[in-house]
Amino acid sequence: REKPDRVPTDYRATPEATHKLMEYLGVTDIGQMYERLHIDPGVVAAPRYVGPPIPEDEDVFGARYQNTDYGLGTYRDPIYHPLAQYETVEEIERNYTWPEPDWWDYSVIPEQIKDKEDGVISSAGSEPFDTYKWLLRGVERAYLDLIQKPEMVHHCLEKLYELCCQDTLRTYEAIPGQVVWTWVAEDVGSQQGLLISLAHIEEFFIPHMKRMIDLVHSAGAFVVHHSDGAVRENIPNMIGAGIDVLDPVQWRGAGMEREGLKRDFGDKIIFHGAMDNQYTLPFGTVEEVRQEVLDNLRILGAGGGYILGPCHNIQAVSKPESIVAMYETCYEHGWS
């Protein structure tokens, strides 16, 4: 939370949006794009899967997918949830095989960061309820489980968090002291408020997230906490658990006004993102994009504590000139 020489920037986008932007810039690889737009490059330290063979149409959890065409590209959506058929913990343990930490090889990680040691090295961290709802149980069942089958949620989250903790720990052991930040996430916000009650967040998520956060800090790394939507009500919980960075600051959500967030929490956390991906980037004018950058620098960047980037993956509908304007405006005006 000190004022840097300039406001750092981050980038995330769908493959289609990145391809479109690279074509617009006339570059042939993403490194050139980062250099052209003054984006701070990073590398994700990740192990190599060496476990049991996975069927072509499945993932390691047994979920199955289909590609959904949305006109400008595709999203890979889960259509089969391997735990959806079960009604009890006993059924799950009798019939389902949980992934094991030994299914991944961490010896490949040092080579991934070779010659990138001075960059922003991150590791995947955790988002287990996301796995539970999207992959294992299905969204509707997962939310109902919080009320109707709490023992199942507790059991499965314990399994998933343990896998995440082991993954994170083994990543740190592979490159001691090198990881800068680790993702500790759960999406709990809608456009209007929380999707999950504070009581359920505190019961099911916070104890596990605190364990992950303590692990991250023990390695000298920072915690980036992600949750889309209107999550202001839960921010004190996350600060209490020890997060360092709040992502993605979806400021058009109810209660997420930037001035209030900076006033009430700016002395405790860093804000990451905040470039609106609902209207400004996909549908706004270039001038509106520039103005939003200036507003974010003025509000969230006052005195430091802000990393500029989109508040979700940039979509292919966004005009490349708007994306270029976002980064060029930050580079022009984000200096101390």
Side-chain angles (χ1 to χ4, degrees):
R1 289 181 293 276
E2 297 178 2
K3 193 171 179 64
D5 60 339
R6 63 175 178 83
V7 171
T9 58
D10 202 358
Y11 177 84
R12 55 185 168 196
T14 65
E16 296 87 0
T18 298
H19 177 73
K20 188 175 175 181
L21 181 56
M22 288 171 59
E23 278 196 333
Y24 177 80
L25 293 171
V27 299
T28 57
D29 67 62
I30 199 165
Q32 293 174 319
M33 185 190 83
Y34 278 17
E35 185 175 355
R36 167 71 174 76
L37 297 179
H38 315 287
I39 297 168
D40 297 290
V43 57
V44 179
R48 179 170 61 94
Y49 182 78
V50 294
I54 301 173
E56 188 175 342
D57 62 340
E58 293 185 7
D59 65 12
V60 70
F61 292 102
R64 298 175 194 155
Y65 297 80
Q66 71 177 14
N67 288 328
T68 303
D69 191 331
Y70 61 90
L72 296 173
T74 61
Y75 269 101
R76 189 168 178 248
D77 296 317
I79 57 171
Y80 170 77
H81 311 283
L83 300 190
Q85 60 189 302
Y86 302 126
E87 296 297 325
T88 66
V89 170
E90 290 72 25
E91 284 183 280
I92 291 174
E93 289 308 296
R94 191 164 56 245
N95 297 288
Y96 182 73
T97 300
W98 292 95
E100 297 284 346
D102 289 344
W103 292 4
W104 284 268
D105 174 17
Y106 293 81
S107 68
V108 300
I109 292 179
E111 187 63 27
Q112 294 171 358
I113 70 164
K114 188 176 180 181
D115 301 325
K116 301 174 184 175
E117 290 85 354
D118 292 335
V120 182
I121 300 168
S122 63
S123 65
S126 65
E127 196 170 0
F129 189 70
D130 199 61
T131 301
Y132 183 79
K133 72 184 180 187
W134 285 113
L135 305 183
L136 294 176
R137 286 285 283 172
V139 174
E140 183 175 351
R141 286 186 191 87
Y143 284 120
L144 290 173
D145 286 347
L146 294 169
I147 299 170
Q148 297 177 347
K149 297 182 183 297
E151 71 288 344
M152 183 179 289
V153 181
H154 279 300
H155 178 80
C156 293
L157 289 188
E158 181 66 40
K159 294 281 189 179
L160 293 168
Y161 268 105
E162 179 59 27
L163 183 65
C164 291
C165 282
Q166 284 298 316
D167 172 72
T168 301
L169 178 61
R170 295 181 188 200
T171 299
Y172 293 158
E173 291 173 342
I175 47 172
Q178 300 275 19
V179 174
V180 175
W181 66 263
T182 294
W183 193 257
V184 179
E186 287 297 359
D187 268 323
V188 299
S190 73
Q191 192 71 18
Q192 299 300 323
L194 295 178
L195 287 164
I196 300 171
S197 71
L198 281 177
H200 280 150
I201 291 171
E202 291 161 4
E203 176 184 351
F204 292 102
F205 300 164
I206 296 294
H208 292 298
M209 297 176 90
K210 181 69 166 63
R211 177 185 171 198
M212 272 294 302
I213 289 167
D214 290 346
L215 173 60
V216 176
H217 287 160
S218 74
F222 296 100
V223 173
V224 175
H225 171 66
H226 166 85
S227 183
D228 295 312
V231 296
R232 182 190 174 93
E233 192 179 3
N234 190 48
I235 293 174
N237 263 340
M238 301 318 306
I239 291 173
I243 68 167
D244 301 297
V245 182
L246 177 67
D247 170 86
V249 192
Q250 193 176 328
W251 62 266
R252 291 190 189 273
M256 294 292 287
E257 295 81 8
R258 290 163 290 183
E259 293 85 353
L261 294 178
K262 183 70 172 182
R263 180 191 66 235
D264 295 341
F265 308 118
D267 62 337
K268 303 175 183 67
I269 53 175
I270 307 303
F271 299 102
H272 178 277
M275 287 302 300
D276 172 55
N277 206 37
Q278 293 177 300
Y279 168 74
T280 312
L281 291 181
F283 306 118
T285 65
V286 168
E287 186 50 45
E288 285 176 307
V289 172
R290 293 188 188 278
Q291 187 59 55
E292 187 164 309
V293 172
L294 296 176
D295 290 343
N296 284 339
L297 295 178
R298 173 177 55 84
I299 300 167
L300 297 175
Y306 176 50
I307 302 166
L308 180 137
C311 73
H312 196 278
N313 294 326
I314 297 170
Q315 304 294 309
V317 69
S318 295
K319 300 182 293 291
E321 51 265 41
S322 291
I323 310 308
V324 171
M326 173 173 68
Y327 290 107
E328 287 189 339
T329 305
C330 184
Y331 190 71
E332 181 182 355
H333 295 277
W335 293 83
S336 296

